[in-house]
Every structure is written in C-alpha cells, then in structure tokens.
Amino acid sequence: MSTPPTTGLRWNRLLLTGAAGKLGRELRPRLKRYCETLRLSHLEAMGEPGAGEEIVPADLADAAAVDSMVAGVDAIVHLGGISTEQRWEPILASNIVGLYNLYEAVRRHGVKRVVFASSNHVTGFYRQDESIDTRAPLRPDGLYGLSKAFGENLAQLYWDRHGIETVSLRIGSSFAEPLDRRMLATWISHDDLERLVVASLSAPVVGHSIIYGVSDNSTSWWDNTHAGHIGYRPQDSSEGFRAAVEARQPRLDRSDPAVIYQGGAFVRAEPDE
Ligand code: NAI
Ligand code: 15L
C-alpha cells in the first residue's frame, strides 16, 4: 500500500462498486483508510462487512437496486462492469444500461464526484509506435472498449448538463507485475492505482477529466499532459521487471495485430473468448 493519509479521514461515505472483482479486492483495504464508511457493492453477496464497511449488493442493470446503492454516499469509485471483450448483451446490460442507471442515481442523490474505471481500450487501435494524449480521437478496439467510450461520453454529458464531476481513468494493465512485453508500457502498479484514485477523488476541480492510468514506465505511449491538474504522481515503474519479461517472451511476431496495436490481444479478441 502507498503511504497512509496524514490528514485524517477525507470522506464520510465512499462507494466502491465491483468490490469483489480483481481491482476491487485491491482497493477495498486501501480506500477504507480514507473514509469513515466504505460502502461495497457487487453483483452477488460478499459475506460480512468489516469494521467501517457496509455492503449493498446491486446488479447495475437494475435501476432500483442502483438507486439504493448510491443513496447517501459522498463519492463513487466505479469499477463494476464487464472488464473484457465479451458478447454484446452483457456489455449492454452492465456497461451501457448499468452506467446510465448509475449516473441517474448520482443525479437524483446529488453525489458530487465519480471516479470511473474506463480503459485503455477506448484507444486500443492506435499503434504501439504512436504516442497519443487524452484528446486524441477515440479508436476503441472492440465492444468492450466501445462501452467504455460510451461511459466517458456519458460522464461528459452529466458534467455539462448536471454539474456532476467525473475523472475517467483509462487504466492500462493493473496487475501485481507486468505479464508480457506490452505491459512494460501499459502497467500500473496497485500502489500507483491507489494514488491515482485518491488523487482523482481529491483534486479540487475536475469537471470531466480524462487520464491514462499508468505507472512511470520507461516505455510509454500515453501522454497525460492535459491531466496535470489531477495531481497524480506515479512512483513505480515496470522497468525493474523488463529483464524477466523479455526472457519469458524473447521474440515478437511483428505481423500480429496484438503486437502492432496498443490494445494488444483485445484487438483480435472474439466476443466469446
Ligand atoms: P473484474 O472483472 O475482476 O471486476 C469487475 C466486477 O464487476 C466483476 O467482479 C463483475 O462481477 C462485476 N460486474 C459485472 N457486471 C455487473 C453488474 N451488472 N452489476 C454488478 N456488478 C457487475 O475487473 P477488474 O480487473 O477488477 O477491473 C475493474 C474495472 O477496471 C473494470 O471496470 C475494468 O473494465 C476496469 N479496467 C481494469 C483494468 C485492469 O488492468 N484490471 C484495465 C482497464 C480497465
Ligand atoms: C482492460 O481493460 C482489462 O479490464 C484488463 O483485464 C486488462 O486486460 C487491461 O485492460 C489491459 O489492457 O491489459
């Protein structure tokens, strides 16, 4: 975990969706340190809450359940949803209908800020020899990336029309360590992810801001120049893993779309993979 907060609790009640997912399990103990009560939500039951936690299960596609999930929270870290390329129907239910339900509940309950787990796959069809910033036109690499692009646009609409602030995090690859050569560029450590989420919750004014979620890697495709106001300062780097990763994956097939494009294998993923 990163250094604990020195200024005491910052929020009364924070909501973490997707709390039983991979990143939800990482962020659960970390975010608890910043709030009086951490409300955890997931599709299914999650067992008993710990001290300072409460659990409100909800299917994102169920508007009434989402309304109850959102009532009474100060801010939301929204990780819930489909996180890989899949068939259209679950993506539609969780990432499109689900996100609309979330923002409508946010509007009704006057929640001030959402940190939305978008994805690097909104721009996955840029090439790995290109560098882009957060204002580059979107080039989703599949239905999953397209649903995250919808999410970013929805967040923009709710800022422009309703004054609800969002930071859309285009998370790269958040794993304990980079798993392959692509992740030397896309990796974000769990500690840096915590720093990114806390900075996104804490920055004084964000409107709708977009930021790539990456560590301070030597190989880099993404330029966060326009997101300096968020105050995210990554402290980790994939470089220390390079030798091991390159030894595991010594050769690259340069005609493979997964090697050509930033989205990696997502650019050729079939919906049922
Ligand atoms: P995950 O798949 O482990 O967690 C997402 C959770 O959302 C799952 O546990 C799933 O059951 C839940 N969920 C799906 N549909 C739901 C619904 N209709 N209602 C309620 N819950 C539902 O994914 P992970 O890796 O933890 O990622 C968290 C978020 O971050 C996702 O939104 C993902 O798209 C995004 N992200 C993650 C990256 C990573 O490196 N892990 C990279 C880029 C984006
Ligand atoms: C994502 O959006 C996925 O949720 C995650 O599982 C990783 O595969 C990541 O992107 C990536 O691009 O490595």
Side-chain angles (χ1 to χ4, degrees):
M1 293 198 210
S2 70
T3 313
T6 52
T7 52
L9 302 174
R10 297 191 201 170
W11 295 280
N12 179 28
R13 183 173 272 102
L14 268 187
L15 168 62
L16 176 66
T17 72
K22 289 187 288 295
L23 298 186
R25 290 194 303 272
E26 282 298 328
L27 287 179
R28 177 178 176 174
R30 296 161 183 270
L31 291 182
K32 180 63 205 75
R33 300 178 303 154
Y34 299 91
C35 56
E36 189 71 36
T37 304
L38 182 63
R39 180 177 294 175
L40 304 163
S41 187
H42 196 254
L43 196 51
E44 305 98 15
M46 291 181 60
E48 291 304 309
E53 293 180 340
E54 56 188 25
I55 295 180
V56 182
D59 181 346
L60 292 164
D62 177 342
V66 170
D67 192 79
S68 305
M69 172 184 88
V70 166
V73 304
D74 304 324
I76 300 175
V77 178
H78 182 53
L79 303 183
I82 300 299
S83 62
T84 55
E85 189 65 7
Q86 297 190 17
R87 289 179 301 105
W88 172 241
E89 290 78 9
I91 289 176
L92 175 65
S94 298
N95 295 12
I96 306 278
V97 176
L99 207 71
Y100 171 75
N101 289 341
L102 183 91
Y103 273 90
E104 273 299 283
V106 161
R107 180 183 65 74
R108 280 193 297 272
H109 291 289
V111 179
K112 295 283 178 276
R113 190 171 296 185
V114 178
V115 175
F116 166 54
S118 180
S119 170
N120 73 88
H121 294 286
V122 297
T123 50
F125 261 123
Y126 284 92
R127 296 170 57 95
Q128 294 191 10
D129 56 11
E130 290 177 284
S131 176
I132 54 172
D133 66 28
T134 51
R135 295 181 184 168
L138 297 181
R139 293 177 77 171
D141 57 28
L143 298 176
Y144 164 65
L146 188 64
S147 74
K148 294 293 187 179
F150 169 84
E152 292 188 3
N153 278 331
L154 193 74
Q156 185 68 50
L157 174 66
Y158 276 72
W159 165 244
D160 289 336
R161 187 172 271 191
H162 304 296
I164 294 159
E165 292 197 306
T166 298
V167 181
S168 290
L169 310 180
R170 291 183 181 167
I171 303 170
S173 309
S174 193
F175 292 81
E177 54 185 73
L179 303 179
D180 56 24
R181 296 261 283 246
R182 170 179 170 271
M183 287 193 193
L184 294 173
T186 62
W187 186 65
I188 176 168
S189 69
H190 292 144
D191 282 353
D192 277 345
L193 182 68
E194 175 190 336
R195 291 181 186 105
L196 177 61
V197 168
V198 172
S200 301
L201 288 166
S202 311
V205 181
V206 296
H208 175 228
S209 298
I210 296 173
I211 183 167
Y212 282 97
V214 272
S215 283
D216 187 19
N217 304 326
S218 300
T219 307
S220 170
W221 307 325
W222 304 323
D223 172 357
N224 274 330
T225 298
H226 303 301
H229 58 285
I230 294 169
Y232 167 57
R233 301 282 177 273
Q235 291 178 27
D236 296 322
S237 165
S238 64
E239 207 49 30
F241 300 97
R242 181 177 291 278
V245 167
E246 290 184 351
R248 272 203 311 271
Q249 195 186 5
R251 277 199 199 81
L252 290 175
D253 173 2
R254 288 170 207 288
S255 65
D256 181 352
V259 172
I260 296 172
Y261 296 106
Q262 296 182 5
F266 277 62
V267 304
R268 54 170 163 67
E270 294 299 328
D272 284 325
E273 275 186 47

